[in-house]
PDB file of all heavy atoms in Angstrom:
ATOM      1  N   THR F  43     -11.687  52.027  49.791  1.00 41.00           N
ATOM      2  CA  THR F  43     -11.962  51.955  48.330  1.00 41.00           C
ATOM      3  C   THR F  43     -10.980  50.989  47.624  1.00 41.00           C
ATOM      4  O   THR F  43     -11.430  50.315  46.696  1.00 41.00           O
ATOM      5  CB  THR F  43     -11.906  53.338  47.685  1.00 41.00           C
ATOM      6  OG1 THR F  43     -10.644  53.866  47.984  1.00 41.00           O
ATOM      7  CG2 THR F  43     -13.001  54.204  48.337  1.00 41.00           C
ATOM      8  N   ILE F  44      -9.740  51.007  48.120  1.00 44.00           N
ATOM      9  CA  ILE F  44      -8.764  50.115  47.565  1.00 44.00           C
ATOM     10  C   ILE F  44      -9.163  48.679  47.808  1.00 44.00           C
ATOM     11  O   ILE F  44      -8.946  47.816  47.028  1.00 44.00           O
ATOM     12  CB  ILE F  44      -7.299  50.447  48.153  1.00 44.00           C
ATOM     13  CG1 ILE F  44      -6.913  51.895  47.744  1.00 44.00           C
ATOM     14  CG2 ILE F  44      -6.316  49.420  47.585  1.00 44.00           C
ATOM     15  CD1 ILE F  44      -5.585  52.216  48.265  1.00 44.00           C
ATOM     16  N   SER F  45      -9.752  48.516  49.033  1.00 42.00           N
ATOM     17  CA  SER F  45     -10.137  47.186  49.413  1.00 42.00           C
ATOM     18  C   SER F  45     -11.151  46.671  48.544  1.00 42.00           C
ATOM     19  O   SER F  45     -11.295  45.579  48.027  1.00 42.00           O
ATOM     20  CB  SER F  45     -10.580  47.148  50.932  1.00 42.00           C
ATOM     21  OG  SER F  45     -11.173  45.991  51.231  1.00 42.00           O
ATOM     22  N   ASN F  46     -12.123  47.467  48.160  1.00 43.00           N
ATOM     23  CA  ASN F  46     -13.266  47.113  47.275  1.00 43.00           C
ATOM     24  C   ASN F  46     -12.774  46.807  45.858  1.00 43.00           C
ATOM     25  O   ASN F  46     -13.334  45.963  45.139  1.00 43.00           O
ATOM     26  CB  ASN F  46     -14.324  48.279  47.278  1.00 43.00           C
ATOM     27  CG  ASN F  46     -15.087  48.369  48.520  1.00 43.00           C
ATOM     28  OD1 ASN F  46     -15.239  47.297  49.351  1.00 43.00           O
ATOM     29  ND2 ASN F  46     -15.568  49.587  48.777  1.00 43.00           N
ATOM     30  N   VAL F  47     -11.693  47.562  45.436  1.00 42.00           N
ATOM     31  CA  VAL F  47     -11.346  47.308  43.994  1.00 42.00           C
ATOM     32  C   VAL F  47     -10.505  46.114  43.872  1.00 42.00           C
ATOM     33  O   VAL F  47     -10.644  45.325  43.056  1.00 42.00           O
ATOM     34  CB  VAL F  47     -10.496  48.471  43.527  1.00 42.00           C
ATOM     35  CG1 VAL F  47      -9.897  48.308  42.066  1.00 42.00           C
ATOM     36  CG2 VAL F  47     -11.527  49.858  43.411  1.00 42.00           C
ATOM     37  N   GLY F  48      -9.463  46.033  44.853  1.00 45.00           N
ATOM     38  CA  GLY F  48      -8.509  44.994  44.844  1.00 45.00           C
ATOM     39  C   GLY F  48      -9.037  43.510  45.306  1.00 45.00           C
ATOM     40  O   GLY F  48      -8.369  42.553  44.985  1.00 45.00           O
ATOM     41  N   ILE F  49     -10.018  43.490  46.046  1.00 44.00           N
ATOM     42  CA  ILE F  49     -10.671  42.231  46.545  1.00 44.00           C
ATOM     43  C   ILE F  49      -9.697  41.509  47.511  1.00 44.00           C
ATOM     44  O   ILE F  49     -10.074  41.191  48.642  1.00 44.00           O
ATOM     45  CB  ILE F  49     -11.114  41.338  45.412  1.00 44.00           C
ATOM     46  CG1 ILE F  49     -12.097  41.962  44.622  1.00 44.00           C
ATOM     47  CG2 ILE F  49     -11.585  40.078  45.946  1.00 44.00           C
ATOM     48  CD1 ILE F  49     -13.541  42.380  45.345  1.00 44.00           C
ATOM     49  N   ILE F  50      -8.507  41.235  47.094  1.00 55.00           N
ATOM     50  CA  ILE F  50      -7.553  40.583  47.963  1.00 55.00           C
ATOM     51  C   ILE F  50      -7.148  41.441  49.109  1.00 55.00           C
ATOM     52  O   ILE F  50      -6.833  40.829  50.145  1.00 55.00           O
ATOM     53  CB  ILE F  50      -6.440  39.987  47.090  1.00 55.00           C
ATOM     54  CG1 ILE F  50      -6.892  39.061  46.067  1.00 55.00           C
ATOM     55  CG2 ILE F  50      -5.287  39.427  47.976  1.00 55.00           C
ATOM     56  CD1 ILE F  50      -5.717  38.553  45.115  1.00 55.00           C
ATOM     57  N   ALA F  51      -7.060  42.715  48.899  1.00 57.00           N
ATOM     58  CA  ALA F  51      -6.663  43.626  49.982  1.00 57.00           C
ATOM     59  C   ALA F  51      -7.797  43.520  51.173  1.00 57.00           C
ATOM     60  O   ALA F  51      -8.879  43.198  50.904  1.00 57.00           O
ATOM     61  CB  ALA F  51      -6.657  44.884  49.568  1.00 57.00           C
ATOM     62  N   ASP F  52      -7.363  43.788  52.351  1.00 64.00           N
ATOM     63  CA  ASP F  52      -8.139  43.860  53.431  1.00 64.00           C
ATOM     64  C   ASP F  52      -8.009  45.102  54.218  1.00 64.00           C
ATOM     65  O   ASP F  52      -6.862  45.626  54.331  1.00 64.00           O
ATOM     66  CB  ASP F  52      -7.732  42.619  54.342  1.00 64.00           C
ATOM     67  CG  ASP F  52      -8.839  42.385  55.510  1.00 64.00           C
ATOM     68  OD1 ASP F  52      -8.804  43.335  56.409  1.00 64.00           O
ATOM     69  OD2 ASP F  52      -9.554  41.426  55.530  1.00 64.00           O
ATOM     70  N   SER F  53      -9.094  45.673  54.711  1.00 69.00           N
ATOM     71  CA  SER F  53      -9.066  46.982  55.345  1.00 69.00           C
ATOM     72  C   SER F  53      -8.263  47.012  56.529  1.00 69.00           C
ATOM     73  O   SER F  53      -7.888  48.027  57.170  1.00 69.00           O
ATOM     74  CB  SER F  53     -10.536  47.555  55.608  1.00 69.00           C
ATOM     75  OG  SER F  53     -11.200  46.622  56.505  1.00 69.00           O
ATOM     76  N   SER F  54      -7.866  45.764  57.003  1.00 75.00           N
ATOM     77  CA  SER F  54      -7.016  45.788  58.346  1.00 75.00           C
ATOM     78  C   SER F  54      -5.630  45.828  58.089  1.00 75.00           C
ATOM     79  O   SER F  54      -4.831  45.814  58.998  1.00 75.00           O
ATOM     80  CB  SER F  54      -7.415  44.544  59.157  1.00 75.00           C
ATOM     81  OG  SER F  54      -7.194  43.369  58.436  1.00 75.00           O
ATOM     82  N   ILE F  55      -5.266  45.782  56.729  1.00 77.00           N
ATOM     83  CA  ILE F  55      -3.859  45.728  56.464  1.00 77.00           C
ATOM     84  C   ILE F  55      -3.205  47.085  56.736  1.00 77.00           C
ATOM     85  O   ILE F  55      -3.754  48.048  56.409  1.00 77.00           O
ATOM     86  CB  ILE F  55      -3.732  45.391  54.982  1.00 77.00           C
ATOM     87  CG1 ILE F  55      -4.074  43.900  54.705  1.00 77.00           C
ATOM     88  CG2 ILE F  55      -2.155  45.524  54.482  1.00 77.00           C
ATOM     89  CD1 ILE F  55      -4.052  43.473  53.308  1.00 77.00           C
ATOM     90  N   THR F  56      -2.038  47.027  57.210  1.00 80.00           N
ATOM     91  CA  THR F  56      -1.265  48.291  57.561  1.00 80.00           C
ATOM     92  C   THR F  56      -0.090  48.422  56.518  1.00 80.00           C
ATOM     93  O   THR F  56       0.666  47.463  56.253  1.00 80.00           O
ATOM     94  CB  THR F  56      -0.700  48.233  58.969  1.00 80.00           C
ATOM     95  OG1 THR F  56      -1.827  48.210  59.932  1.00 80.00           O
ATOM     96  CG2 THR F  56       0.064  49.493  59.271  1.00 80.00           C
ATOM     97  N   LEU F  57      -0.010  49.581  55.924  1.00 77.00           N
ATOM     98  CA  LEU F  57       1.119  49.828  54.972  1.00 77.00           C
ATOM     99  C   LEU F  57       2.326  50.387  55.599  1.00 77.00           C
ATOM    100  O   LEU F  57       2.202  51.093  56.588  1.00 77.00           O
ATOM    101  CB  LEU F  57       0.585  50.742  53.901  1.00 77.00           C
ATOM    102  CG  LEU F  57      -0.654  50.427  53.108  1.00 77.00           C
ATOM    103  CD1 LEU F  57      -0.921  51.478  52.095  1.00 77.00           C
ATOM    104  CD2 LEU F  57      -0.441  49.023  52.354  1.00 77.00           C
ATOM    105  N   HIS F  58       3.436  49.947  55.168  1.00 79.00           N
ATOM    106  CA  HIS F  58       4.820  50.341  55.655  1.00 79.00           C
ATOM    107  C   HIS F  58       5.632  51.028  54.535  1.00 79.00           C
ATOM    108  O   HIS F  58       5.362  50.830  53.382  1.00 79.00           O
ATOM    109  CB  HIS F  58       5.517  49.153  56.323  1.00 79.00           C
ATOM    110  CG  HIS F  58       4.660  48.541  57.429  1.00 79.00           C
ATOM    111  ND1 HIS F  58       4.856  49.067  58.676  1.00 79.00           N
ATOM    112  CD2 HIS F  58       3.913  47.430  57.325  1.00 79.00           C
ATOM    113  CE1 HIS F  58       4.113  48.277  59.511  1.00 79.00           C
ATOM    114  NE2 HIS F  58       3.544  47.242  58.658  1.00 79.00           N
ATOM    115  N   ASP F  59       6.486  51.834  54.929  1.00 82.00           N
ATOM    116  CA  ASP F  59       7.395  52.433  53.901  1.00 82.00           C
ATOM    117  C   ASP F  59       8.092  51.338  53.047  1.00 82.00           C
ATOM    118  O   ASP F  59       8.641  50.337  53.479  1.00 82.00           O
ATOM    119  CB  ASP F  59       8.619  53.190  54.601  1.00 82.00           C
ATOM    120  CG  ASP F  59       8.100  54.471  55.323  1.00 82.00           C
ATOM    121  OD1 ASP F  59       7.131  55.069  54.705  1.00 82.00           O
ATOM    122  OD2 ASP F  59       8.600  54.792  56.384  1.00 82.00           O
TER     123      ASP F  59
END
Side-chain angles (χ1 to χ4, degrees):
T43 58
I44 297 178
S45 173
N46 288 335
V47 174
I49 296 300
I50 293 178
D52 190 288
S53 59
S54 65
I55 293 176
T56 300
L57 301 180
H58 300 275
D59 290 327

